Amino acid sequence: MRDTILTLEDTNADELKSIQVGGIDFITKPYDTLILLEKIKRALQLSNPNNFRELVKKDCTLDLHLSILKYQEKSIELTRNEFRILYYFFMNEDKVISKEELLEKLWNDKYYLDENVLLVNMTRLKKKMKEIGIVHLLENIRGKGWKL
């Protein structure tokens, strides 16, 4: 989350502290209303996921509009399910994700769907990734799930 800090404080030390705690913009009072509104508009644009076209993790690029995975000038098209699975991993980097979590988050039902549906999609996804040289992206954590 990007934060803008609006404050009465206006020293360099205050601005530095604001940046250190996660702020990306520092606005002091009194402020110009038009400038403040423009900065708010810009912050909203930057936080809108529809404005992002690609996610990059471990030298792999996931095109969010075309459902394509790219690696070293090679690319593969992903099915809807493959894209959803990979997107979930990209958004949860370094987190171990279980079969149950994937079924629940991606299909909204961890009980109705057979886990074979997920395993078939994972197998196809890994096969496609291997075709373009990606063997390092998804790590199988024995007995727990996978992580990016």
Side-chain angles (χ1 to χ4, degrees):
M1 182 76 184
R2 297 178 173 113
D3 293 317
T4 298
I5 294 158
L6 180 62
T7 181
L8 285 170
E9 307 298 328
D10 64 352
T11 68
N12 286 343
D14 294 319
E15 186 171 357
L16 178 60
K17 185 176 180 182
S18 296
I19 293 168
Q20 290 172 333
V21 298
I24 61 158
D25 201 356
F26 185 82
I27 303 168
T28 59
K29 292 182 180 178
Y31 54 84
D32 181 283
T33 306
L34 292 176
I35 291 173
L36 177 63
L37 289 173
E38 195 60 34
K39 286 187 175 199
I40 291 170
K41 180 180 166 185
R42 179 72 176 145
L44 290 172
Q45 287 173 342
L46 289 172
S47 65
N48 183 349
N50 291 327
N51 293 333
F52 295 102
R53 181 156 182 91
E54 298 178 334
L55 295 174
V56 179
K57 304 284 182 188
K58 299 184 179 183
D59 298 325
C60 298
T61 303
L62 183 62
D63 186 307
L64 302 179
H65 295 275
L66 299 176
S67 296
I68 292 175
L69 181 63
K70 304 171 193 172
Y71 180 67
Q72 295 182 346
E73 301 193 31
K74 296 180 184 176
S75 64
I76 52 170
E77 288 185 38
L78 302 170
T79 66
R80 180 176 177 265
N81 285 341
E82 293 164 349
F83 174 81
R84 290 173 67 214
I85 291 168
L86 208 48
Y87 179 79
Y88 192 73
F89 278 103
F90 269 63
M91 298 307 292
N92 292 281
E93 184 176 18
D94 295 327
K95 176 184 175 190
V96 177
I97 300 171
S98 68
K99 291 184 266 187
E100 294 79 16
E101 181 178 347
L102 279 172
L103 286 169
E104 186 175 341
K105 298 293 183 182
L106 301 178
W107 284 279
N108 297 322
D109 191 348
K110 65 180 177 183
Y111 301 108
Y112 177 72
L113 283 175
D114 184 347
E115 74 178 40
N116 285 333
V117 171
L118 174 62
L119 296 178
V120 166
N121 279 285
M122 288 297 291
T123 301
R124 287 182 186 156
L125 179 57
K126 286 182 178 184
K127 181 180 177 188
K128 282 184 174 183
M129 290 190 305
K130 192 173 183 180
E131 288 173 9
I132 63 169
I134 301 173
V135 293
H136 65 285
L137 190 60
L138 289 177
E139 180 184 350
N140 189 357
I141 309 299
R142 190 174 184 95
K144 295 184 179 181
W146 304 271
K147 81 173 195 176
L148 192 67

